[in-house]
């Protein structure tokens, strides 16, 4: 992982996967998704980790699900976030099809993600059936964040974005998933769209932090899609609280810009570049000679 420093040159210690694990029971974990350098730089001041989520496919690229997202796309955005963040752990999602085939395929792709982005961990979806892969990666030096409950990459099997654990007969299987990924060596686990009593039960039962997204304040930490909580998304899930209304502010700014362009009130003098002094004097002399000869041409049109 590349070294980071403040503008004054003092080194900044970036958080690592064990630092996140150590926060369980000590301090709530704050996290958000981020897909570009400038939002990463802002969120970096407040977040313990930033997730380059495959949700970028829907948020940034207009896909209907996360399934079309490619490894190259994740790496491109991962590089940007690592450049923008200085202290937060950066976790990059493994996209659909990049890790399910076998542990060795998962390692090859996860190693590529870490080498090319310089991130500190990867995240993959799945419980018991992914335990072997998680163990394989961790033993070979790749920290893994697990993800259970609602797993968006399995949307075509689940039949929609449906909350999990709302019926007690579902609990045993989901709890088994949580224990399996923890025992396999995951340093934390995302619980998505999960009934509060089950999320609380899992949080108390496993030694690694639970990161909730629609799984209640009972979890050890929280994550939201940044664009959702900023009011940039047209539709958001029930569990999202909009902490800002940036979408309206952006539209207001663009409308103001368009109006001034149409009225020719932008750009004004303070937004333009004056001639350099020597060049300006020469230009005036040429204009003066041209005018005295009576061949100045048509006068410039004036706004009325």
């Amino acid at each position: 992982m590349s070294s980071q420093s403040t503008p004054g040159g003092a080194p900044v210690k970036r958080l690592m996967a064990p630092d996140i694990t150590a926060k369980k029971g000590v301090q709530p974990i704050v996290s958000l998704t981020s897909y570009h350098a400038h939002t990463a730089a802002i969120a970096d001041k407040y977040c313990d980790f930033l997730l380059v989520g495959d949700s970028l496919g829907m948020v940034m690229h207009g896909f209907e699900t996360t399934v079309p997202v490619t490894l190259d796309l994740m790496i491109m955005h991962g590089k940007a976030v690592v450049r923008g963040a200085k202290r937060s752990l950066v976790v990059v999602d493994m996209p659909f099809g990049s890790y399910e085939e076998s542990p060795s395929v998962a390692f090859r792709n996860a190693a590529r993600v870490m080498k090319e982005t310089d991130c500190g961990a990867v995240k993959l979806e799945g419980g018991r059936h992914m335990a072997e892969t998680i163990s394989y990666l961790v033993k070979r030096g790749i920290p893994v964040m697990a993800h259970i409950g609602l797993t968006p990459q399995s949307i075509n099997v689940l039949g929609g974005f449906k909350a999990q654990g709302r019926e007690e007969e579902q609990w045993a299987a989901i709890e088994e998933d949580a224990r399996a990924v923890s025992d396999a060596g995951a340093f934390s686990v995302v619980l998505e769209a999960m009934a509060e009593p089950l999320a609380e039960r899992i949080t108390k039962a496993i030694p690694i932090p639970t990161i909730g997204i629609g799984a209640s304040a009972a979890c050890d930490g929280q994550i939201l899609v940044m664009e959702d909580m900023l009011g940039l998304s047209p539709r958001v899930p029930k569990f999202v609280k909009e902490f800002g209304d940036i979408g309206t502010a952006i539209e207001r700014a663009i409308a103001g810009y368009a109006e001034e362009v149409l009225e020719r009130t932008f750009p004004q003098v303070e937004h333009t570049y004056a001639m350099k002094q020597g060049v300006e004097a020469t230009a005036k002399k040429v204009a003066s000679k041209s005018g005295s000869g009576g061949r100045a041409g048509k006068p410039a049109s004036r706004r009325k």
Side-chain angles (χ1 to χ4, degrees):
M1 187 174 296
S2 61
S3 61
Q4 304 284 347
S5 62
T6 63
V12 175
K13 183 182 183 298
R14 191 189 288 278
L15 294 174
M16 302 178 75
D19 298 317
I20 304 301
T21 303
K23 289 181 178 289
K24 185 178 178 76
V26 177
Q27 180 182 345
I29 298 164
V30 182
S31 58
L32 285 168
T33 64
S34 180
Y35 314 125
H36 18 59
H38 64 278
T39 56
I42 296 170
D44 188 51
K45 303 171 187 177
Y46 307 99
C47 292
D48 298 303
F49 75 86
L50 297 175
L51 174 65
V52 187
D54 59 359
S55 51
L56 63 84
M58 302 170 73
V59 175
M60 299 288 295
H61 297 276
F63 298 142
E64 292 186 5
T65 71
T66 62
V67 173
V69 175
T70 64
L71 199 62
D72 287 340
L73 202 56
M74 294 306 305
I75 289 171
M76 179 182 70
H77 286 277
K79 288 178 178 178
V81 172
V82 170
R83 285 194 292 264
K86 303 299 181 185
R87 59 168 295 277
S88 302
L89 170 69
V90 177
V91 182
V92 177
D93 257 342
M94 297 295 293
F96 178 73
S98 68
Y99 61 92
E100 297 91 340
E101 183 178 347
S102 69
S104 60
V105 168
F107 175 77
R108 185 183 313 120
N109 288 327
R112 181 187 167 204
V113 168
M114 294 195 70
K115 285 169 71 69
E116 294 188 26
T117 68
D118 205 21
C119 70
V122 299
K123 181 174 77 64
L124 54 82
E125 296 182 7
R128 288 157 288 166
H129 66 287
M130 293 310 303
E132 181 185 359
T133 296
I134 292 172
S135 177
Y136 191 92
L137 297 184
V138 172
K139 288 176 180 176
R140 287 159 178 79
I142 298 179
V144 177
M145 177 179 288
H147 183 155
I148 64 172
L150 171 61
T151 48
Q153 291 177 12
S154 304
I155 196 69
N156 291 310
V157 174
L158 296 174
F161 295 97
K162 299 177 180 179
Q164 303 295 299
R166 300 184 74 180
E167 299 175 0
E168 280 198 49
E169 53 264 32
Q170 299 177 333
W171 285 21
I174 299 174
E175 288 181 86
E176 191 175 341
D177 282 339
R179 286 191 295 269
V181 299
S182 177
D183 292 345
F187 70 91
S188 61
V189 56
V190 171
L191 309 183
E192 181 166 358
M194 189 177 293
E196 180 175 9
L198 176 58
E200 182 175 10
R201 186 180 175 105
I202 290 173
T203 299
K204 292 178 178 178
I206 61 175
I208 61 174
T210 57
I211 310 298
I213 178 165
S216 84
C219 296
D220 295 303
Q222 299 294 325
I223 188 167
L224 285 175
V225 171
M226 187 183 295
E227 282 73 7
D228 287 352
M229 57 86 71
L230 289 177
L232 282 169
S233 301
R235 295 187 304 274
V236 297
K238 169 185 171 65
F239 57 75
V240 172
K241 176 180 178 179
E242 293 187 353
F243 287 82
D245 189 11
I246 306 302
T248 299
I250 290 174
E251 183 171 358
R252 188 183 304 119
I254 293 173
Y257 163 72
E259 181 181 0
E260 292 195 16
V261 170
L262 292 170
E263 293 178 349
R264 294 188 180 277
T265 57
F266 173 84
Q268 296 184 2
V269 173
E270 63 266 31
H271 309 120
T272 58
Y273 296 98
M275 297 286 286
K276 291 183 178 180
Q277 189 170 0
V279 176
E280 187 174 7
T282 302
K284 285 182 178 179
K285 186 181 293 186
V286 170
S288 176
K289 289 182 178 179
S290 175
S292 63
R295 293 188 298 274
K298 294 182 180 180
S301 61
R302 295 184 180 181
R303 292 181 65 235
K304 295 181 179 179

